[in-house]
Amino acid sequence: GKHGHAKANITGLDIFTGAKKQDICPTSHNMTAPVVGSMDWSLLGISDDGFLSLMTDEGETRDDLKVPEYPTEIAEQIQSGETRDDLK
């Protein structure tokens, strides 16, 4: 309002669902920010129930991630076997 405290209006997109998120906080308060990292994994295969079999360059494997539902273009690229080089 006209005589109220200044407020910060923060808007962002959820990296997993694409949903728009908004937060309003007084500028005198601290806000938390997400810490997001990335790693490169090679796709070894996809199980019948949609789980990815992945491996790092160091040989570490992971089999507990499902093919993402969002964004749909990424899911389609993974399932069709397109590589990063194909997308350039």
Side-chain angles (χ1 to χ4, degrees), residues 7 14 17 26 34-35 38 45-46 48 50 66 73 75:
K7 297 201 177 12
D14 185 306
T17 65
V35 177
S38 67
I46 303 173
D48 292 337
K66 286 195 110 172
E73 299 83 27

Side-chain angles (χ1 to χ4, degrees), residues 21 31-33 36 45-47 51 54 60 70 78 84 88:
K21 303 289 184 177
M31 295 185 75
T32 59
V36 180
I46 303 173
S47 67
F51 282 91
L54 305 168
E60 179 185 346
Y70 174 88
I78 291 170
R84 185 176 291 177
K88 292 181 180 174

Side-chain angles (χ1 to χ4, degrees), residues 1 8 29 38 47 52 57 82 87:
H29 293 180
S38 67
S47 67
L52 303 171
D57 290 338
E82 290 181 55
L87 303 175

Side-chain angles (χ1 to χ4, degrees), residues 15-69:
I15 62 173
F16 300 107
T17 65
K20 191 180 216 182
K21 303 289 184 177
Q22 186 173 15
D23 195 8
I24 299 172
C25 183
T27 56
S28 60
H29 293 180
N30 292 330
M31 295 185 75
T32 59
V35 177
V36 180
S38 67
M39 293 180 66
D40 288 330
W41 295 79
S42 296
L43 178 62
L44 302 176
I46 303 173
S47 67
D48 292 337
D49 54 354
F51 282 91
L52 303 171
S53 180
L54 305 168
M55 185 170 60
T56 65
D57 290 338
E58 293 79 29
E60 179 185 346
T61 60
R62 185 168 182 173
D63 298 299
D64 61 339
L65 298 174
K66 286 195 110 172
V67 174
E69 295 178 8

